Amino acid sequence: MGRLDGKVIVLTAAAQGIGWAAALAFAKEGAKVIATDINESKLRELNEYAGIQTRVLDVTKKDQIDKFSKEIERLDVLFNVAGFVHHGTILECEEKDWDFTMNLNVRSMYLMIKAFLPKMLAQKSGTIINMSSVASSIKGKSAANFQGILLHLISATGVYSSLSERDVS
């Protein structure tokens, strides 16, 4: 019997790194994990583990997220892991790189929360976890990385504040 028996967890960026490790850990504790990623071939490798279902999902695409959320009846945890770190300084960061980083690191959290929060409010329970990696702060001199993480944390703080008013963590 695991600590997460009966819990349903929707997890982004599950094909590698933190997302992969989290999917395995949650499943080991008895959760039903719905692991998503855009990397279909790597994601497919998770299908061999009990308790994990996989779904190809681009978290930067609102229409894909909305369709996916309609297929999920209930969830206990939404774990947003998807992220990207631009390599280089802000002077080397093109606007398209900045936009991609903001879309993946910040906007995707917003889109996922907006799609799944109504289910949590209706069930009067649920937990949202927004994860980011310290990789952006240890790669060195990149001001673009620092600004991306700063915006990420500011936006997450706003989400948490609005959720705490409704007793959803």
Side-chain angles (χ1 to χ4, degrees):
M1 195 157 223
R3 294 178 290 175
L4 298 174
D5 284 345
K7 300 292 184 186
V8 177
I9 298 174
V10 171
L11 171 67
T12 67
Q16 61 187 0
I18 295 168
W20 178 275
L24 295 178
F26 288 143
K28 184 178 179 182
E29 288 296 331
K32 173 187 171 188
V33 178
I34 305 167
T36 69
D37 203 292
I38 59 171
N39 186 336
E40 184 174 5
S41 62
K42 283 294 287 176
L43 188 63
R44 210 175 305 129
E45 295 174 22
L46 283 171
N47 287 328
E48 68 185 65
Y49 297 95
I52 300 178
Q53 298 175 8
T54 60
R55 169 68 185 265
V56 175
L57 178 69
D58 183 341
V59 294
T60 66
K61 307 290 187 212
K62 182 182 184 315
D63 57 331
Q64 287 185 29
I65 293 169
D66 290 343
K67 181 180 178 197
F68 172 56
S69 72
K70 290 176 183 160
E71 297 169 6
I72 306 298
E73 282 186 42
R74 65 173 277 276
L75 74 155
D76 298 291
V77 177
L78 171 61
F79 192 7
N80 291 310
V81 183
F84 172 78
V85 177
H86 179 268
H87 300 279
T89 68
I90 193 134
L91 297 175
E92 298 163 326
C93 181
E94 298 297 324
E95 188 173 348
K96 66 179 176 50
D97 301 322
W98 177 264
D99 290 344
F100 175 76
T101 301
M102 290 297 104
N103 281 334
L104 186 58
N105 294 357
V106 179
R107 187 171 180 268
S108 69
M109 287 190 321
Y110 160 77
L111 293 173
M112 291 293 288
I113 292 167
K114 182 131 177 148
F116 285 99
L117 181 59
K119 293 177 189 301
M120 292 179 169
L121 293 173
Q123 2 177 113
K124 298 188 185 315
S125 68
T127 300
I128 297 170
I129 304 168
N130 294 319
M131 174 72 72
S132 67
S133 170
V134 296
S136 63
S137 60
I138 62 173
K139 287 198 178 206
K141 58 190 176 192
S142 176
N145 293 340
F146 171 75
Q147 291 174 355
I149 290 301
L150 181 61
L151 288 172
H152 174 98
L153 293 173
I154 290 169
S155 66
T157 301
V159 168
Y160 294 134
S161 296
S162 64
L163 294 178
S164 66
E165 296 171 7
R166 295 193 166 154
D167 294 326
V168 176
S169 57

